[in-house]
């Protein structure tokens, strides 16, 4: 009887439990606990928005929503201050040297990017886990709209670069052209309206599915077209005038900074108007943030949504004499605004930890409950957002959060990898030969003479200053005649390698009696044979006699003054070009041709320069760079003229001959080559065809640029420099520009660098190595605007350790290598001033700064938008 009672009791309990579970399964998802629903994620991205020049002070609505309702990071940076490389890093969570998008053109949205990196963006990962993914706005600079990138269910991507009117969108793969009507065509408002519509429809149709959206605005990128209602805002905007504004020239900085002089009055007026128009475009983004916030409140999704606001990089307007632009390693270009709000995010606080653009993808994956893939270089910042909880009895001493204090800032290419003893380029990218030689010469095994056992190659610098690799004659090791390299013919490899070699002694050469004709190469053969030297001497005399009438009209005297090609230089214009002041030792020699501002050709066909070129190695290198640039400019001009000459030869009109047979024979000979369908250059296989297509594309692009320059009479664009022309027709919306056209150069091709940025409780510095061998070091604790290059204050040991740490970051892969754990280092008997000293401090948690909750204490620079 008891057994039967227990059996009935068991059946009753089982039935009631099954009925309970079925009720739970049939219960609608919206009636469950909302904590079990994955959060929505919204990323708002602006283009070229600065932090150092006060652009956030104009966005009062965004600041109230994100600062009071979330956390702001005071040390947010990008690893590459350029549009396409930075956006590629945001999508993939990788440094530039790992996704190989080095510039806004090279590998930007290329087939290599689409095949290898685009399938591994955060959009793909979230789409595979059930998120409703959507992208609105600017994607990558070279995106052509012919496809929908993987991972996005809703796609509204801008074709090519930022514009506000007259642009083309790719709506789920279908191209859609827009005009210049406000508000239906204004890009910022269109992105806002489309994103809100998609969010509402997704929650209505799929209430249980989380949404991840990216709103990628064009503001404040050029052409800086604002909404009509904001065209009169900020009439007195002047926050861009910082202590580094028009601080030029800078002889202690890299090449483009040395040769950039102070701005002209028209340039300074342009910077004022540009700052005003940029802020006006951001007011529409400010309205967009308010509309998005109100939509989340209305749909009851605000408490279950993470909102992230940031920019792809910073900007400079007049800093160091650069009229406008980005791509510099300084604070105004790499610092960006970064805000986040959402569940469990402390409100109204400022977080001082370093946050990078490569942290966006891991953070978004972490919010969605996914682990960070091992190939991503960034880390999730959610661990920095956790509020402090009281310690329990099992955890009395809570461990402090360990976070990075250093990161890499790069604009350039990594050294080539070796596969089975052969140099190979990464993916489809490659370096020119001189750059590959320079990279190889940075290795230790090539920087020593042929004295080591088994050494086969040696890197030396020839008489023209170029690095070359020479094979050691004695392969068994040790040079048979080591003294032959000590006779004064061996030049130092570079300034950088000389600084890094702790055993190398300072250069103590006497350059006072040095003449260019006495320079000899490293081999025993003379530079010129007697026959060649006589021919060269006679040519020099003829050149001298032909050029007597020119005097100072030689093309080499034409220089870049304020970004335009001016008349033949006077002493004043020469000083402005060099950016280094006058040349005190320059002497105007009688019966001579003044070729450059420091060198002349005498009547006896010899070259004479001022004594500063022979006494200072840095002055010699600077003047050689200047001459190389002049030669490159003239060579490019000659090459363009030759192409035009060849085109005119081919396009010569036929002469109408009275003899019809002769005329027809000429015409027939010209048409004979049009019969074949195959181009003569396409006879090779598929690889030759692809190579030919790429070469033909480059040739046509170069020809189009050349024709455009000829039509527009453009004397601003020059090889090796990034220049722009501004005129009265550039801006089509108010406020307009009415002061006429001007030209300015903003960057150079040799502006390739790798920098180490460190911020901790004791140090705050930037250390950079440029591709030219130039070094820069700035202590931002004492020099926050980076006005003075203090690399000369560091000893050789410190430079060597900085170089080692920088090289480790340049070759890192994955978040374990790219985020080295800060560790304490024992003194080890090292003297004062060692680089390791900055590691020797107690790693404790950064103090949190509580922001006032009242909006009255925000203290905006401009109250409202009236200026």
């Amino acid at each position: 009887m008891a057994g039967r009672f227990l059996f009935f009791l068991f059946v009753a309990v089982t039935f009631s439990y099954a009925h309970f579970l079925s009720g739970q399964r049939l219960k609608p998802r919206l009636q469950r606990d909302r904590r079990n629903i994955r959060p929505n994620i919204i990323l708002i991205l602006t283009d070229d928005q600065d932090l150092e020049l006060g652009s956030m002070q104009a966005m009062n609505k965004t600041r109230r929503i994100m600062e009071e309702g979330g956390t702001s990071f005071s040390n947010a940076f990008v690893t590459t201050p350029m549009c396409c490389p930075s956006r590629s890093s945001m999508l993939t969570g990788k440094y530039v040297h790992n996704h190989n998008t080095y510039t806004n053109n090279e590998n930007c949205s290329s087939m290599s990017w689409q095949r290898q990196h685009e399938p591994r963006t955060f959009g793909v990962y979230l789409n595979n886990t059930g998120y409703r993914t959507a992208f609105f706005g600017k994607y990558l600079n070279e995106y052509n709209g012919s496809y929908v990138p993987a991972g996005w269910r809703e796609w509204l991507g801008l074709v090519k670069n930022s514009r506000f009117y007259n642009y083309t969108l790719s709506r789920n793969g279908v191209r859609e052209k827009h005009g210049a009507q406000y508000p239906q065509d204004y890009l910022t408002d269109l992105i806002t309206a489309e994103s809100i519509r998609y969010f509402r429809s997704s929650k209505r149709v799929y209430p249980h599915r989380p949404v991840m959206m990216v709103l990628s605005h064009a503001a404040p990128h050029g052409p800086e077209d604002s909404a009509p209602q904001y065209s009169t805002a900020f009439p007195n905007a002047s926050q861009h005038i910082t202590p580094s504004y028009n601080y030029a020239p800078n002889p202690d900085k890299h090449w483009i900074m040395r040769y950039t002089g102070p701005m002209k009055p028209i340039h300074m007026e342009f910077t004022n108007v540009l700052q005003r128009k940029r802020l006006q475009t951001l007011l529409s983004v400010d309205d967009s943030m308010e509309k998005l916030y109100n939509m989340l409140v209305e749909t009851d999704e605000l408490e279950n949504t993470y909102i992230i606001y940031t920019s792809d990089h910073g900007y400079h307007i007049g800093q160091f004499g650069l009229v406008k632009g980005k791509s510099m390693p300084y604070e105004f270009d790499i610092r960006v605004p970064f805000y986040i709000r959402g569940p469990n995010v402390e409100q109204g606080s400022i977080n001082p930890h370093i946050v990078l653009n490569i942290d966006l993808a891991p953070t978004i994956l972490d919010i969605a409950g996914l682990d960070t893939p091992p190939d991503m270089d960034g880390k999730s910042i959610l661990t920095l957002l956790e509020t402090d909880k009281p310690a329990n009895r099992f955890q009395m001493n809570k461990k402090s959060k360990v976070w990075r204090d250093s990161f890499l800032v790069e604009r350039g290419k990594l050294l080539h990898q070796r596969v089975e003893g052969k140099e190979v380029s990464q993916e489809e990218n490659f370096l020119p030969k001189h750059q590959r030689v320079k990279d190889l010469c940075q290795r230790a095994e090539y920087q020593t003479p042929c004295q080591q056992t088994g050494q086969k190659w040696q890197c030396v610098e020839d008489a023209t200053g170029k690095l070359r690799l020479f094979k050691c004659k004695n392969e068994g090791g040790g040079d048979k005649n080591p003294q032959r390299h000590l006779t004064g013919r061996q030049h130092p490899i570079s300034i950088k390698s000389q600084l890094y070699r702790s055993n190398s002694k300072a250069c103590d050469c006497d350059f006072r009696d040095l003449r260019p004709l006495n320079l000899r190469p490293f081999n025993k053969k003379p530079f010129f044979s007697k026959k060649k030297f006589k021919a060269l001497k006679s040519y020099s005399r003829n050149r001298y006699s032909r050029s007597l009438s020119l005097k100072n009209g030689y093309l080499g005297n034409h220089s870049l003054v304020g970004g335009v090609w001016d008349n033949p230089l006077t002493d004043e214009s020469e000083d402005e070009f060099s950016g280094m002041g006058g040349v005190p030792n320059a002497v105007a020699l009688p019966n001579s041709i003044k070729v450059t501002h420091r060198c002349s050709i005498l009547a006896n066909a010899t070259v004479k320069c001022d004594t500063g070129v022979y006494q200072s190695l840095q002055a010699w290198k600077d003047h050689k760079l200047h001459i190389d640039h002049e030669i490159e400019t003239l060579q490019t001009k000659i090459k363009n003229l030759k192409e035009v000459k060849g085109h005119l030869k081919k396009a010569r009109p036929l002469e109408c001959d009275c003899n019809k047979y002769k005329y027809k024979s000429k015409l027939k000979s010209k048409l004979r080559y049009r019969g074949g369908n195959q181009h003569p250059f396409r006879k090779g296989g598929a690889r030759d065809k692809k190579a030919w297509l790429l070469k033909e594309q480059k040739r046509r692009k170069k020809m189009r640029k050349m024709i455009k320059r000829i039509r527009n009479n453009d004397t601003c664009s020059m090889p090796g420099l990034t220049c722009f022309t501004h005129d009265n027709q550039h801006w089509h919306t108010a406020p307009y520009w009415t002061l006429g056209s001007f030209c300015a150069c903003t960057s150079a091709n040799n502006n390739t660098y790798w920098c180490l940025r460190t911020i901790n409780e004791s140090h705050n510095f930037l250390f950079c190595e440029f591709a030219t061998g130039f070094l820069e070091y700035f202590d931002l604790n004492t020099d926050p605007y980076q006005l003075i290059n203090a690399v000369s204050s560091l000893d050789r040991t410190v430079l060597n350790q900085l170089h080692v740490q920088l090289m480790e970051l340049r070759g890192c892969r994955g978040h374990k290598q790219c985020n080295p754990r800060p560790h304490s280092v024992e003194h080890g008997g090292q003297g004062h001033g060692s680089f390791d000293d900055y590691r020797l401090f107690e790693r404790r948690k950064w103090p949190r700064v509580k922001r006032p909750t009242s909006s009255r204490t925000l203290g905006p620079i401009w109250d409202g938008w009236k200026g």
Side-chain angles (χ1 to χ4, degrees):
M1 188 69 181
R4 186 176 298 178
F5 175 79
L6 290 176
F7 174 78
F8 282 114
L9 181 63
F10 175 78
V11 171
V13 171
T14 304
F15 179 79
S16 61
Y17 182 72
H19 180 72
F20 172 77
L21 288 180
S22 63
Q24 281 293 97
R25 281 197 298 267
L26 295 175
K27 187 178 293 184
R29 291 290 299 271
L30 289 179
Q31 295 181 12
R32 299 188 191 179
D33 190 355
R34 295 189 62 85
R35 290 174 296 180
N36 296 330
I37 300 178
R38 288 182 296 173
N40 307 302
I41 306 171
I42 300 178
L43 172 63
I44 294 96
L45 184 64
T46 54
D47 197 359
D48 290 9
Q49 185 176 3
D50 61 87
L51 182 68
E52 295 290 289
L53 308 186
S55 64
M56 285 303 305
Q57 303 298 326
M59 305 179 68
N60 294 328
K61 300 173 184 177
T62 303
R63 291 175 61 194
R64 291 190 181 100
I65 293 171
M66 301 303 296
E67 286 186 355
E68 294 184 2
T71 296
S72 60
F73 284 85
S74 58
N75 288 315
F77 299 89
V78 296
T79 56
T80 301
M82 294 185 71
C83 292
C84 196
S86 179
R87 289 170 178 267
S88 301
S89 295
M90 290 179 175
L91 291 167
T92 61
K94 298 179 181 179
Y95 275 114
V96 164
H97 64 261
N98 288 331
H99 62 66
N100 303 293
T101 302
Y102 298 106
T103 66
N104 287 337
N105 300 314
E106 185 177 1
N107 206 31
C108 179
S109 190
S110 65
M111 293 302 297
S112 174
W113 160 265
Q114 298 174 29
R115 183 176 61 254
Q116 299 191 29
H117 301 294
E118 209 165 47
R120 302 184 63 84
T121 61
F122 63 81
V124 175
Y125 289 109
L126 266 67
N127 182 48
N128 293 339
T129 58
Y131 266 82
R132 299 272 300 168
T133 57
F135 190 99
F136 305 95
K138 178 181 176 179
Y139 183 53
L140 298 174
N141 294 51
E142 292 299 317
Y143 173 69
N144 56 16
S146 61
Y147 71 101
V148 176
W152 304 102
R153 293 179 178 270
E154 181 73 12
W155 179 258
L156 190 67
L158 178 67
V159 176
K160 296 294 182 176
N161 208 354
S162 294
R163 301 186 75 174
F164 295 86
Y165 294 109
N166 300 312
Y167 52 84
T168 301
L169 294 175
S170 173
R171 185 184 292 272
N172 297 321
V174 179
R175 297 171 71 91
E176 181 179 284
K177 291 187 177 181
H178 288 261
Q181 298 296 322
Y182 184 86
Q184 59 267 25
D185 292 325
Y186 191 64
L187 184 60
T188 306
D189 294 350
L190 187 145
I191 290 173
T192 305
E194 291 290 338
S195 60
I196 292 177
R197 180 195 60 79
Y198 178 79
F199 191 92
R200 289 182 180 274
S201 62
S202 295
K203 289 300 177 182
R204 183 173 61 253
V205 180
Y206 304 98
H208 61 284
R209 298 276 295 275
V211 176
M212 193 277 291
M213 298 192 307
V214 177
L215 281 69
S216 181
H217 294 288
H221 193 283
E224 298 95 10
D225 294 326
S226 64
Q229 65 269 25
Y230 296 133
S231 60
T232 59
F234 310 114
N236 301 315
S238 60
Q239 197 64 16
H240 63 289
I241 303 178
T242 61
S244 60
Y245 179 82
N246 205 22
Y247 188 84
N250 292 268
D252 60 338
K253 293 182 175 65
H254 59 282
W255 186 83
I256 187 65
M257 310 298 292
R258 293 199 298 270
Y259 290 96
T260 299
M263 291 186 294
K264 295 180 179 180
I266 190 173
H267 296 152
M268 300 177 70
E269 181 61 27
F270 171 77
T271 60
N272 297 334
V273 180
L274 178 62
Q275 172 74 355
R276 182 185 179 189
K277 291 183 71 69
R278 282 169 54 86
L279 296 177
Q280 290 173 357
T281 62
L282 287 174
L283 291 178
S284 295
V285 181
D286 204 34
D287 293 341
S288 173
M289 284 294 300
E290 185 180 40
K291 295 177 182 177
L292 195 66
Y293 176 83
N294 293 336
M295 181 270 297
L296 292 175
V297 173
E298 294 172 3
T299 56
D300 196 23
E301 294 286 343
L302 179 63
E303 299 301 324
N304 194 43
T305 302
Y306 282 90
I307 307 176
I308 304 175
Y309 182 95
T310 187
S311 174
D312 56 357
H313 53 75
Y315 206 71
H316 58 258
I317 306 177
Q319 279 64 41
F320 297 130
L322 300 171
V323 178
K324 71 170 186 176
K326 53 251 185 183
S327 79
M328 295 295 169
Y330 308 122
E331 293 292 284
F332 42 72
D333 281 355
I334 63 175
R335 275 190 181 269
V336 292
F338 195 100
Y339 303 95
I340 183 171
R341 66 170 294 162
N344 300 323
V345 176
E346 188 173 357
Q347 299 182 0
S349 66
I350 304 175
N351 196 308
H353 289 87
I354 295 176
V355 174
L356 307 176
N357 57 340
I358 60 175
D359 296 332
L360 270 178
T363 301
I364 292 175
L365 294 184
D366 194 8
I367 293 174
L370 302 177
D371 295 331
T372 302
D375 61 332
M376 285 190 177
D377 303 331
K379 296 175 64 177
S380 172
I381 66 172
L382 287 190
T383 57
L384 305 177
L385 300 173
E386 295 175 355
T387 56
D388 295 333
K389 297 179 181 180
N392 54 34
R393 57 175 181 162
F394 301 105
Q395 187 180 6
M396 298 303 297
N397 297 323
K398 186 177 180 180
K399 293 182 180 180
S400 60
K401 298 171 184 176
V402 179
W403 193 254
R404 70 167 74 94
D405 62 354
S406 300
F407 64 94
L408 174 69
V409 182
E410 59 182 337
R411 183 180 185 262
K413 299 180 180 179
L414 192 65
L415 301 181
H416 283 207
Q417 297 178 343
R418 296 185 68 88
V419 178
E420 298 179 356
K422 297 181 180 180
E423 294 289 335
V424 294
S425 59
Q426 297 180 2
E427 299 186 3
E428 299 176 356
N429 306 311
F430 58 93
L431 289 169
K433 182 178 179 181
H434 67 89
Q435 186 65 40
R436 296 200 303 268
V437 173
K438 183 180 293 185
D439 290 342
L440 286 173
C441 288
Q442 292 180 355
R443 300 183 180 181
E445 59 265 27
Y446 298 122
Q447 294 183 3
T448 57
C450 294
Q451 298 176 0
Q452 298 181 3
T453 304
Q455 184 174 353
K456 296 182 179 181
W457 296 92
Q458 175 193 4
C459 185
V460 294
E461 190 174 6
D462 61 10
T464 61
K466 293 183 179 179
L467 295 171
R468 299 185 183 276
L469 285 173
F470 288 94
K471 191 171 183 179
C472 298
K473 292 184 178 180
N474 184 13
E475 295 184 2
D479 199 341
K480 294 181 179 179
N481 187 15
Q483 296 298 326
R484 66 187 177 96
H485 296 290
L486 305 177
T487 58
R489 290 181 292 176
Q490 182 178 358
H491 294 245
I493 297 175
S494 66
I495 299 176
K496 181 167 65 176
S497 60
Q498 198 177 26
L499 287 172
Y500 291 150
R501 295 169 63 187
S502 56
N503 296 328
S504 61
K505 298 180 180 179
C507 182
D508 192 16
C509 302
D510 188 5
F511 291 98
R512 289 177 293 182
D513 299 328
L514 184 63
R515 295 294 183 271
L517 292 179
N518 294 333
L519 291 174
R520 296 284 300 278
F522 292 97
N523 52 14
K524 296 183 179 180
K525 297 180 181 179
F527 194 74
F528 294 114
S529 62
K530 292 183 179 179
K531 187 175 181 180
K532 288 184 179 179
F533 184 76
K534 287 182 180 179
L536 182 64
K537 193 172 182 181
S538 62
Y539 172 75
S540 301
R541 285 202 189 97
N542 295 335
R543 181 178 63 177
Y544 172 74
S545 61
R546 290 195 303 267
S547 305
L548 280 177
S549 60
L550 294 178
K551 271 301 179 182
N552 291 328
Y554 179 66
L555 285 175
N557 289 335
H558 290 262
S559 300
L560 182 66
V561 183
V564 295
W565 286 100
D566 210 344
N567 295 328
L569 289 175
T570 60
D571 292 339
E572 182 179 358
S573 62
E574 289 164 8
D575 296 348
E576 188 176 359
F577 171 81
S578 64
M580 300 180 67
V583 183
N585 297 327
V587 180
L589 301 173
N591 298 328
S592 64
I593 303 174
K594 190 173 183 182
V595 180
T596 67
H597 60 285
R598 306 194 76 163
C599 296
S600 304
I601 299 178
L602 305 181
N604 58 356
T606 60
V607 180
K608 176 69 176 179
C609 300
D610 61 81
T611 57
V613 177
Y614 304 128
Q615 292 178 352
S616 171
L617 180 60
Q618 186 63 40
W620 180 87
K621 284 183 175 288
D622 291 342
H623 197 58
K624 182 181 174 300
L625 281 174
H626 166 61
I627 293 175
D628 289 341
H629 176 263
E630 295 285 343
I631 293 174
E632 186 181 356
T633 303
L634 295 176
Q635 286 177 343
T636 304
K637 189 172 183 180
I638 292 173
K639 189 175 181 181
N640 294 338
L641 290 175
K642 285 184 177 180
E643 289 186 4
V644 176
K645 181 181 177 182
H647 171 72
L648 292 177
K649 283 184 177 181
K650 295 178 181 179
R652 179 179 178 179
L654 294 174
E655 297 179 2
C656 184
D657 199 345
C658 295
N659 190 345
K660 295 182 179 180
Y661 174 77
K662 197 172 183 179
Y663 177 77
K664 290 180 179 179
S665 65
K666 285 184 179 180
L667 188 62
K668 186 177 180 180
S669 64
K670 290 187 71 67
L671 296 175
R672 184 179 303 164
Y673 297 100
R674 300 185 184 180
N677 294 327
Q678 187 176 7
H679 196 278
F681 291 153
R682 301 184 185 178
K683 294 181 180 179
R687 181 179 300 178
D688 296 336
K689 182 178 179 181
K690 183 179 180 181
W692 180 87
L693 288 174
L694 292 175
K695 187 176 181 180
E696 184 69 12
Q697 267 185 344
K698 291 181 180 179
R699 188 191 67 81
R700 290 181 180 180
K701 185 176 181 181
K702 187 176 181 181
M703 182 64 70
R704 286 196 301 268
K705 288 184 177 180
M706 183 193 67
I707 294 174
K708 185 177 180 180
R709 287 199 297 266
I710 294 175
R711 286 177 180 174
N712 300 335
N713 196 19
D714 183 12
T715 57
C716 181
S717 300
M718 287 167 293
L721 289 174
T722 303
C723 307
F724 73 95
T725 304
H726 191 85
D727 52 27
N728 294 348
Q729 286 74 39
H730 183 76
W731 283 324
H732 300 287
T733 57
Y736 300 100
W737 176 258
T738 58
L739 298 182
S741 62
F742 66 88
C743 175
C745 293
T746 59
S747 186
N749 287 353
N750 61 1
N751 187 29
T752 299
Y753 54 78
W754 298 269
C755 300
L756 176 67
R757 184 72 173 92
T758 297
I759 303 175
N760 53 41
E761 295 179 352
S762 60
H763 280 69
N764 184 8
F765 66 83
L766 174 73
F767 171 73
C768 293
E769 296 179 356
F770 288 82
T772 57
F774 198 79
L775 303 180
E776 290 185 357
Y777 176 85
F778 301 95
D779 185 358
L780 277 75
N781 285 332
T782 58
D783 184 17
Y785 296 98
Q786 299 161 292
L787 304 180
I788 300 173
N789 181 12
V791 70
S792 59
S793 65
L794 303 178
D795 57 34
R796 205 175 300 271
T797 304
V798 174
L799 282 174
N800 187 38
Q801 294 181 356
L802 287 171
H803 173 70
V804 170
Q805 187 177 3
L806 180 58
M807 292 301 293
E808 290 177 355
L809 287 176
R810 283 180 59 179
C812 72
R813 287 184 179 273
H815 58 271
K816 292 184 178 180
Q817 293 182 9
C818 296
N819 298 278
R821 185 183 181 91
H823 59 279
S824 298
V825 181
E826 296 180 359
H827 289 278
Q830 295 180 356
H832 181 69
S834 171
F835 172 69
D836 290 332
D837 289 348
Y838 92 92
R839 297 282 192 188
L840 301 175
F841 62 91
E842 182 184 357
R843 302 293 305 180
R844 54 182 185 272
K845 198 179 83 170
W846 289 93
R848 288 188 179 273
V849 182
K850 189 71 175 179
R851 187 182 298 276
T853 56
S854 175
S855 60
R856 298 179 180 178
T857 59
L858 289 175
I861 294 179
W862 301 286
D863 190 7
W865 56 266
K866 296 183 179 180

